[in-house]
């Protein structure tokens, strides 16, 4: 069929028609909401570079988790910021650590909410790197043992799923093995498989107080110029026992998301990271772009590229918008 008999504009004439032929739609089920948890009571510290996002003490995190779950968001991913850091990330495995208490208390308050935990050392180490240092570099093989210990302590505290993000070789296998030895064979691993060394994590490091004091993460996170290597990373994680795989960041990596979707049949997560969120907020605050429209366009594009699940600081906002009848219509008329 060809023009003038065939006209693609016919199916674009009204919102009803567009709704009928829309190929991708967002659902509240698609989202995981990140929460930053700090010590204290009644604490709700705004993160300057991420308007609308806060560091919460456990009591406040419970309120926020409830609000998210009531909006239909199925899961949160928790990041703990301990009062004290050291070189060996001791506080990451403390029975009474910030994250262990947060898991327990949020689980008690909102039992059906899926609690995922980020398994990494950077928030707990004085040097801010994602593992145990040996001279100037992160020692892979000692680090994966610590990661396994952390994952196990999260599971013991009641986490429903663990998400290793340190980009150490063999971390998924080490965690799987340790979980299984401790009777946690039913705890899934969401692997940060293709995690790039990205400047888009800037605002997160303010939120989680986890910036490396020296150097960068290029010796363990991936080079943003690579795509084949991402497939190798994912292959290894799948072989090591990952239940869910991840590409991170999302927006500048839609090609990687698409490729991962085509090459693997595991549930695929995309992490819509802090810098991607902050850029939208900053431009919207200046009146340069429309927050809601850009948010919907970005998140829909991440799903269109192939993500089954999206970790996003927009999760609550999007859930609120999705409660309206037809969000595309609503945003069109704003
Ligand atoms: C921990 C971790 C980071 C992010 C998630 N887990 C920071 C990093 O690797 O430096 C980034 C998330 C974001 O930017 O939103 N390693």
């Amino acid at each position: 069929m060809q023009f003038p008999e065939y006209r693609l504009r016919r199916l674009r004439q009204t919102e009803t028609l567009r709704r009928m032929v829309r190929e991708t739609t967002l659902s509240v089920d698609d989202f995981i909401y990140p929460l930053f948890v700090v010590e204290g009571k009644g604490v709700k510290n705004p993160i300057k570079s991420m308007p609308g996002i806060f560091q919460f003490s456990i009591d406040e995190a419970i309120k926020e988790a409830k609000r998210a779950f009531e909006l239909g968001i199925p899961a949160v991913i928790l990041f703990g910021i301990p009062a004290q850091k050291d070189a060996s990330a001791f506080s990451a495995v403390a029975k009474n650590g910030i994250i262990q208490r947060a898991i327990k208390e949020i689980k008690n308050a909102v039992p059906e909410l899926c609690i995922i935990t980020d398994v990494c050392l950077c928030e707990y180490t004085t040097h801010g790197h994602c593992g145990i240092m040996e001279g100037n570099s992160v020692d892979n093989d000692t680090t994966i043992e610590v990661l396994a210990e952390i994952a196990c302590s999260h599971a013991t505290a009641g986490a429903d799923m663990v998400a290793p993000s340190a980009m150490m070789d063999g971390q998924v296998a080490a965690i799987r093995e340790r979980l299984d030895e401790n009777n946690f064979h039913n705890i899934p691993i969401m692997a940060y498989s293709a995690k790039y060394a990205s400047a888009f994590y800037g605002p997160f490091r303010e939120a989680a107080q986890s910036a490396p004091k020296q150097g960068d993460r290029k010796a363990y996170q991936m080079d943003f110029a690579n795509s084949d290597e991402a497939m190798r990373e994912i292959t290894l994680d799948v072989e090591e026992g990952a239940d869910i795989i991840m590409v991170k960041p999302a927006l500048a990596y839609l090609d990687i998301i698409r490729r991962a979707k085509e090459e693997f049949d595991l549930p695929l997560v995309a992490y819509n990271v802090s810098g991607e969120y902050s850029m939208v907020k900053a431009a919207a605050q200046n009146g340069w772009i429309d927050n809601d429209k850009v948010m919907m366009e970005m998140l829909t594009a991440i799903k269109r590229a192939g993500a089954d699940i999206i970790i996003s600081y927009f999760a609550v906002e999007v859930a609120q918008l999705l409660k309206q009848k037809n969000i595309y219509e609503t945003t069109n008329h704003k």
Side-chain angles (χ1 to χ4, degrees):
M1 251 196 315
Q2 268 189 355
F3 178 81
E5 291 78 27
Y6 188 46
R7 291 172 184 269
L8 283 164
R9 287 186 56 188
R10 282 188 198 120
L11 294 179
R12 291 181 202 142
Q13 291 179 91
T14 64
E15 177 51 26
T16 303
L17 280 170
R18 293 193 290 273
R19 188 146 66 95
M20 289 167 69
V21 299
R22 186 159 290 134
E23 297 173 36
T24 312
T25 48
L26 292 173
S27 152
V28 73
D29 298 335
D30 303 333
F31 289 93
I32 298 173
Y33 183 43
L35 287 178
F36 300 102
V37 189
V38 293
E39 294 287 358
K41 255 206 148 60
V43 180
K44 194 176 168 188
N45 283 337
I47 296 151
K48 266 201 216 79
S49 55
M50 301 176 75
I53 301 296
F54 301 84
Q55 292 175 333
F56 295 109
S57 51
I58 295 175
D59 54 331
E60 295 290 327
I62 288 173
K63 288 186 207 157
E64 187 69 358
K66 265 197 187 137
R67 183 166 85 106
F69 190 68
E70 276 160 16
L71 279 164
I73 295 168
V76 291
I77 182 163
L78 300 183
F79 297 94
I81 299 134
Q84 273 171 353
K85 307 187 185 215
D86 64 20
S88 62
F90 172 74
S91 54
V93 291
K95 244 201 162 129
N96 233 349
I98 179 71
I99 192 81
Q100 287 77 4
R101 277 178 286 131
I103 296 165
K104 214 171 282 164
E105 294 190 32
I106 296 173
K107 191 84 234 167
N108 261 337
V110 207
E112 282 173 274
L113 177 72
C114 174
I115 299 184
I116 307 171
T117 57
D118 187 81
V119 176
C120 195
L121 269 60
C122 62
E123 296 117 64
Y124 302 92
T125 50
T126 34
H127 47 69
H129 278 290
C130 300
I132 305 294
M133 298 300 284
E134 185 70 57
N136 279 333
S137 92
V138 174
D139 187 69
N140 193 88
D141 300 9
T142 40
T143 300
I144 60 177
E145 295 310 317
V146 180
L147 291 168
E149 199 62 41
I150 296 176
C152 215
S153 89
H154 292 177
T156 305
D160 297 295
M161 193 183 301
V162 292
S165 69
M167 285 303 280
M168 294 298 124
D169 291 323
Q171 62 181 12
V172 172
I175 289 171
R176 184 72 272 157
E177 196 180 318
R178 189 75 61 96
L179 288 174
D180 290 354
E181 282 166 10
N182 287 278
N183 256 326
F184 292 122
H185 43 262
N186 281 330
I187 299 291
I189 300 177
M190 180 171 87
Y192 283 72
S193 305
K195 177 174 177 183
Y196 288 86
S198 171
F200 285 100
Y201 307 153
F204 173 94
R205 291 178 187 168
E206 180 198 337
Q209 291 160 11
S210 66
K213 296 273 172 318
Q214 271 182 344
D216 52 38
R217 305 207 199 287
K218 288 183 183 157
Y220 40 102
Q221 298 180 349
M222 282 186 57
D223 183 340
F224 58 70
N226 296 353
S227 167
D228 293 344
E229 189 192 357
M231 300 305 111
R232 291 199 286 278
E233 280 284 4
I234 299 173
T235 301
L236 285 176
D237 280 0
V238 173
E239 287 170 359
E240 289 178 27
D243 300 280
I244 298 178
I245 52 177
M246 192 194 301
V247 172
K248 176 185 175 198
L251 278 181
Y253 299 82
L254 294 179
D255 58 325
I256 310 295
I257 294 173
R258 163 54 51 172
R259 216 178 143 184
K261 180 69 185 170
E262 282 169 3
E263 295 190 25
F264 300 91
D265 62 1
L266 272 75
L268 175 62
V269 181
Y271 200 138
N272 175 218
V273 302
S274 56
E276 299 170 0
Y277 175 84
S278 301
M279 290 194 301
V280 176
K281 290 292 168 194
Q285 281 179 353
N286 273 296
W288 297 337
I289 59 169
D290 179 306
N291 182 84
D292 291 0
K293 287 182 186 172
V294 169
M295 170 179 80
M296 291 308 295
E297 187 173 334
M298 274 180 16
L299 295 171
T300 304
I302 293 169
K303 193 164 177 196
R304 188 195 64 224
D308 301 299
I309 302 169
I310 305 172
I311 303 177
S312 180
Y313 304 97
F314 285 118
V316 162
E317 263 182 84
V318 123
Q320 282 163 339
L321 256 192
L322 288 171
K323 279 177 89 173
Q324 297 168 19
K325 201 161 146 260
N326 184 344
I327 35 111
Y328 294 92
E329 177 83 338
T330 310
T331 54
N332 276 343
H333 287 204
K334 255 205 169 151

